Amino acid sequence: MNKKLCCENCDYLKCIAIVYQNYYCNHDDRTDDMGKLTDDNLRMDSPEWCPLREKE
């Protein structure tokens, strides 16, 4: 199965809406310390540092 990882369906996705929507990865094993994904528009695929990429 060659399934493309997508943050939209991930359980670790968190959104903080202050001025605009900030999307973050809340996975404990992420290599990006901050875990910031994007502002306002969510990515269509997971970032290079996604810890779930290794498990796929």
Side-chain angles (χ1 to χ4, degrees):
M1 193 183 301
N2 193 4
K3 189 176 174 184
K4 185 176 173 183
L5 287 174
C6 180
C7 292
E8 182 180 15
N9 301 323
C10 184
D11 293 335
Y12 297 106
L13 176 67
K14 300 296 176 202
C15 179
I16 301 170
I18 299 173
V19 175
Y20 44 86
Q21 292 181 339
N22 294 314
Y23 292 97
Y24 293 90
C25 175
N26 198 31
H27 195 286
D28 291 334
D29 294 333
R30 67 181 181 267
T31 57
D32 181 292
D33 290 335
M34 193 167 177
K36 186 171 182 179
L37 297 170
T38 185
D39 297 329
D40 277 338
N41 299 321
L42 190 58
R43 298 171 58 122
M44 294 306 290
D45 59 344
S46 64
E48 298 273 331
W49 50 262
C50 177
L52 299 180
R53 277 185 184 264
E54 296 174 6
K55 293 181 180 179
E56 185 178 75

